[in-house]
Amino acid sequence: MPRNIFTAGATSGVILSIGDALCQLGTNDQRKPGADGKQAQRWDVRDLSLERSARYAITGMTLHGPYFHFIFAWLDKKFGSTRTLKMAATKALVGQFSVFPPYLGLFFFYQALLEGKTAREGAQRAVDKFPGVFVTGLMFWPAANTLNFLLLGPGLPRVAYSAGMSVGWVAYLSWVNPRCPPPGGGG
């Protein structure tokens, strides 16, 4: 089991740092003005905040990977192999409403701590960001996980699919995390 947790953490570290890097490259957050003073319109890897991406890698290795390693094992044990759409949707919704909320709170709290914020500031960020991000997650993860549980069994195919979905989701989280107030509601 320790090897599986290590693999889950390492994989999540890479996924979260890639998602953050894509967010940085796709937004104006890290772009520097051009010689004419206007916003640069090019993507330049040299403009990435490696410190920011490292925080996401640390979050993936120490929170996301281990957390979801155990959560998917728990869901598989509780629901077994899902062969019907109804069972896959049930499994996805149980995960969405029982597993996703604590993770979101922990994610925003942990990111704030890694940025050097106080525990109080981290807790406030989690409270502020949670509502809008949870609603957005309701539009994305139940469908993504229903397909995952219905079409893919535990193991490499599920990991690859989840990784692909997660890169896009993490780019969104990376975009929301530094913003106040969050898009879609909350604080």
Side-chain angles (χ1 to χ4, degrees):
M1 180 161 337
R3 180 176 174 200
N4 292 340
I5 294 169
F6 175 79
T7 301
T11 302
S12 289
V14 169
I15 289 168
L16 268 66
S17 61
I18 289 172
D20 175 66
L22 288 174
C23 176
Q24 289 184 56
L25 290 171
T27 65
N28 291 333
D29 288 355
Q30 302 300 319
R31 294 187 195 165
K32 300 191 177 24
D36 59 0
K38 294 182 180 178
Q39 194 70 28
Q41 296 301 311
R42 60 181 170 73
W43 287 7
D44 192 337
V45 175
R46 294 173 295 184
D47 293 336
L48 289 177
S49 167
L50 296 180
E51 181 181 327
R52 177 174 146 171
S53 291
R55 286 193 302 267
Y56 278 82
I58 291 167
T59 301
M61 289 184 287
T62 60
L63 174 64
H64 184 272
Y67 185 85
F68 284 104
H69 170 78
F70 287 111
I71 291 306
F72 279 119
W74 173 75
L75 286 170
D76 288 338
K77 184 176 180 181
K78 182 164 181 60
F79 291 96
S81 178
T82 52
R83 299 183 192 279
T84 66
L85 179 59
K86 180 180 178 182
M87 183 56 75
T90 300
K91 189 175 182 178
L93 289 173
V94 166
Q96 186 68 29
F97 287 100
S98 67
V99 172
F100 190 56
Y103 173 75
L104 273 184
L106 287 169
F107 172 83
F108 288 118
F109 179 78
Y110 196 34
Q111 280 290 303
L113 293 181
L114 290 173
E115 292 168 11
K117 308 284 187 211
T118 66
R120 182 180 301 256
E121 290 169 316
Q124 188 60 53
R125 180 182 295 178
V127 167
D128 291 345
K129 303 290 182 179
F130 181 86
V133 174
F134 182 74
V135 169
T136 302
L138 285 173
M139 293 183 270
F140 179 73
W141 283 115
N145 280 330
T146 297
L147 289 174
N148 183 357
F149 297 142
L150 183 63
L151 303 175
L152 306 170
L156 189 57
R158 180 179 288 171
V159 170
Y161 173 84
S162 294
M165 296 293 104
S166 294
V167 166
W169 177 253
V170 172
Y172 166 73
L173 286 179
S174 180
W175 178 74
V176 169
N177 187 44
R179 284 169 174 62
C180 188

